[in-house]
Amino acid sequence: ADITVNSSDLQVAKVVDNAAPNEGATVTYTVTLTNGGPNYATGIELTDNLPVGVSLVSDTPSQGTYNDGTGLWDVGGILNGGNATLSLVATVDNGTAGSTITNTATVTAADQADPTPANNSDTADITVNSSDLQVAKVVDNAAPNEGATVTYTVTLTNGGPNYATGIELT
């Protein structure tokens, strides 16, 4: 007697809406899990723990449930050719400027064998903008007489590497 073992090629694709955010900005990670078949996939679980440097604001799975404590998305089942999505909205933490933060999503369980496990994981990177603001102040006459006029010149320089916005100088 012959038997046919069911298999489902689960494929993970992960993107982020802003790959170069500022500290305090909100980013949205979207994970798309596709079943390339040939069979219906059941018992699917995917793990997506947000890394240090970002903090979860909200999660929206298209199906199943997401546990923000464990990072486990209990997807359930996906038909051959179907897909499910998980959106994770996060805030970029203060103190992360200049760093690259990598977020990974990986299929961690399924009832069927997967003939192509190499596509069961994907990452999305953000590189947090940073700038090096430098202030220099000089006076045109350091020893003026009473009643003399002096001119102060303040120079603000951005040493980069990124464009700086929202700057206020007092």
Side-chain angles (χ1 to χ4, degrees), residues 6-34:
N6 287 334
S7 67
S8 298
D9 181 17
L10 296 175
Q11 305 157 14
V12 176
K14 184 174 187 81
V15 296
V16 64
D17 67 338
N18 182 359
N22 293 319
E23 288 181 346
T26 301
V27 295
T28 301
Y29 295 100
T30 303
V31 179
T32 302
L33 179 60
T34 303

Side-chain angles (χ1 to χ4, degrees), residues 62-82:
S62 65
Q63 67 182 58
T65 57
Y66 179 75
N67 181 322
D68 60 4
T70 63
L72 184 67
W73 177 23
D74 186 354
V75 180
I78 301 177
L79 294 172
N80 178 11

Side-chain angles (χ1 to χ4, degrees), residues 22-25 52-54 91-101 128-130:
N22 293 319
E23 288 181 346
V52 172
V54 292
T91 301
V92 180
D93 295 342
N94 289 328
T96 58
S99 63
T100 297
I101 300 170
V128 185
N129 286 323
S130 66

Side-chain angles (χ1 to χ4, degrees), residues 4 12 18 23-24 30 43 50 53-54 59 68 84 95 111 114 119-120 122 143 145 159 168:
T4 301
V12 176
N18 182 359
E23 288 181 346
T30 303
L50 288 180
V54 292
D59 60 85
D68 60 4
D111 291 338
D114 190 329
N119 61 8
N120 287 4
D122 198 14
N145 292 322
E168 294 181 6

